[in-house]
Amino acid sequence: MYDYLIVGSGLFGAVFAHEAAKAGKSCLVIDKRQHTGGNLHCQLIDNIWVHQYGAHIFHTSNRQVWQYVNQLTEFNNFVNSPLASYQGKLYHLPFNMNTFYELWGVRTPAEAQAKIDEQRSEFAHITQPANLEEQALTLCGRDIYERLIKGYTEKQWGCAATQLPAFIIKRLPFRFTFDNNYFNDRYQGIPEGGGYNALINALLAKADVRLGTDYFAHRDELHAQARCTLYTGCIDEFYNYCHGHLDYRSLRFEHKRLNTPDFQGNAVVNYTERQVPYTRVIEHKHFAPGSQQPTTVVTYEHPDSFAPGKEPYYPVNDARNAAIYARYAAMADAELDVLFGGRLARYTYADMDDTIMAALELCKKEFQQ
């Protein structure tokens, strides 16, 4: 009945469905959730588009990708300028001259560089960092690490920084300008008039979509309806965990509607103390600059361990999981009528622009045959 069965209606699957339709192919898209878009799904509350599964800020330096999404829905000019809260004080992110002034009172790039060099010199004896903590201390010194990195990182990964591999922090970007724009990418924004739902709806406009459909409960029946399958779920689950379970970190979101026009004055505030149970608070109305609603919606983002029934968010990049994934990837590469794509099927964390580009590259390979 269909050329392609697409398992998962997230960004990768939706882009593939859109390109398949342009190539004259028919697609059936299924999703176990009751909505499309995967973790990009937004809900309209008090005329505020709320990101239900964490903040998603589109940013890219790839002009092709930027033009691609803007042909489907218009993006606004939101610029991400997060703050970090530590022991009642606020610091600007990313690390820039505003941050250095707030930390040490320095006013010039030369003063900031000298202070960083002074802080790093305490740990110059560490020539081969054995863990994330040692790596970070050699890169930035004690103040930045203890106030802005340590607690946040330990909450995110659920363990002490001394138990995390050093390679997680390969470098720390310092900006010696008063620039709070978090991303270096040329293009940045949030979809207008429908949030990310508008983008996903445009991508899936010519596909048949079935929601609330468990792929594994109807696997044979669904495969029989299509010539080829694109699978975007967890690769270890696809192969019934025959090589073991891949590890993830999960997240838990606590949404609150508040009877105030403005809660924190910024879209994103990170909480970097280990004792604070959440890593950040998102105030969604600030993703649409100039919003004037009398109420607001905030989301407290809590790191969580992963278990069946929870959403897998971040792959655990260590030697054990790399070896397990390699076995699954070899099996996937040998499949004749199943394609694999997206962050779960490829066991990777990918920004949205990279996800779109990877989907477009797969489409180019698939439809030019």
Side-chain angles (χ1 to χ4, degrees):
M1 294 175 60
Y2 297 95
D3 293 303
Y4 292 94
L5 166 69
I6 301 176
V7 182
S9 64
L11 188 58
F12 192 100
V15 169
F16 188 93
H18 182 70
E19 294 302 304
K22 287 164 59 176
K25 309 296 183 181
S26 59
C27 295
L28 170 63
V29 180
I30 65 167
D31 203 295
K32 63 183 179 182
R33 297 176 181 176
Q34 294 295 339
H35 61 72
T36 59
N39 293 341
L40 287 181
H41 180 70
C42 298
Q43 181 180 357
L44 189 62
I45 301 174
D46 292 351
N47 206 34
I48 300 168
W49 285 103
V50 176
H51 299 201
Q52 290 291 293
Y53 303 96
H56 287 82
I57 301 161
F58 199 95
H59 59 96
T60 185
S61 292
N62 187 321
R63 187 176 181 182
Q64 177 188 351
V65 170
W66 182 245
Q67 291 177 336
Y68 184 85
V69 295
N70 276 272
Q71 289 172 356
L72 297 162
T73 187
E74 189 172 354
F75 279 64
N76 68 15
N77 61 347
F78 173 79
V79 173
N80 189 29
S81 302
L83 295 167
S85 174
Y86 178 79
Q87 294 186 350
K89 294 184 178 181
L90 292 174
Y91 301 89
H92 283 87
L93 298 175
F95 305 139
N96 68 77
M97 285 302 300
N98 287 302
T99 322
F100 308 144
Y101 177 77
E102 291 150 356
L103 283 165
W104 306 308
V106 296
R107 301 172 63 91
T108 69
E111 291 174 334
Q113 184 66 68
K115 190 66 178 180
I116 292 170
D117 291 342
E118 174 192 328
Q119 293 260 314
R120 294 178 61 198
S121 67
E122 180 184 352
F123 305 97
H125 62 281
I126 303 176
T127 57
Q128 295 292 329
N131 52 59
L132 183 146
E133 179 163 291
E134 291 187 356
Q135 177 73 82
L137 288 169
T138 61
L139 291 171
C140 67
R142 189 178 300 279
D143 287 349
I144 291 176
Y145 173 67
E146 292 187 348
R147 298 188 201 187
L148 303 178
I149 296 175
K150 178 180 171 65
Y152 189 95
T153 302
E154 291 183 342
K155 287 188 290 186
Q156 190 81 355
W157 294 104
C159 64
T162 53
Q163 297 176 309
L164 293 167
F167 70 78
I168 290 181
I169 295 184
K170 296 181 180 178
R171 63 183 184 90
L172 287 175
F174 296 129
R175 291 184 188 165
F176 294 95
T177 60
F178 291 88
D179 180 8
N180 300 320
N181 184 353
Y182 191 78
F183 300 115
N184 288 316
D185 291 313
R186 180 176 180 180
Y187 309 107
Q188 187 174 171
I190 304 286
E192 291 185 326
Y196 283 98
N197 298 4
L199 174 62
I200 296 297
N201 290 343
L203 289 168
L204 295 177
K206 295 185 178 180
D208 288 346
V209 179
R210 295 183 196 171
L211 301 177
T213 301
D214 186 340
Y215 168 71
F216 293 102
H218 307 282
R219 189 166 180 164
D220 292 340
E221 170 193 342
L222 290 165
H223 273 275
Q225 297 185 49
R227 177 185 62 81
C228 183
T229 295
L230 169 63
Y231 178 78
T232 68
C234 292
I235 192 169
D236 54 350
E237 186 178 13
F238 183 88
Y239 288 111
N240 198 29
Y241 310 104
C242 65
H243 294 301
H245 289 253
L246 290 167
D247 295 323
Y248 290 91
R249 287 290 289 169
S250 190
L251 296 171
R252 179 172 57 85
F253 303 102
E254 181 184 5
H255 305 291
K256 292 185 178 181
R257 177 187 178 275
L258 305 175
N259 288 314
T260 181
D262 199 342
F263 175 70
Q264 63 186 19
N266 205 52
V268 181
V269 178
N270 292 355
Y271 285 79
T272 60
E273 294 169 75
R274 185 69 178 88
Q275 295 81 0
V276 177
Y278 42 85
T279 50
R280 59 182 181 171
V281 177
I282 309 301
E283 188 166 11
H284 301 268
K285 70 188 313 176
H286 294 302
F287 289 137
S291 294
Q292 299 293 322
Q293 298 90 344
T295 59
T296 193
V297 179
V298 298
T299 299
Y300 293 80
E301 189 171 301
H302 297 256
D304 199 4
S305 59
F306 176 67
K310 296 180 180 180
E311 181 68 20
Y313 281 92
Y314 303 110
V316 178
N317 294 315
D318 58 18
R320 173 191 171 275
N321 285 288
I324 292 175
Y325 170 68
R327 298 187 188 103
Y328 288 126
M331 295 176 70
D333 290 343
E335 296 282 354
L336 297 178
D337 57 358
V338 182
L339 306 172
F340 294 82
R343 64 184 182 90
L344 299 178
R346 291 301 179 185
Y347 196 64
T348 185
Y349 179 82
D351 288 330
M352 287 181 280
D353 60 335
D354 293 330
T355 298
I356 291 171
M357 202 65 220
L360 291 175
E361 288 172 356
L362 176 62
C363 292
K364 183 177 180 181
K365 178 180 179 181
E366 184 73 7
F367 303 140
Q368 285 186 348
Q369 293 179 352

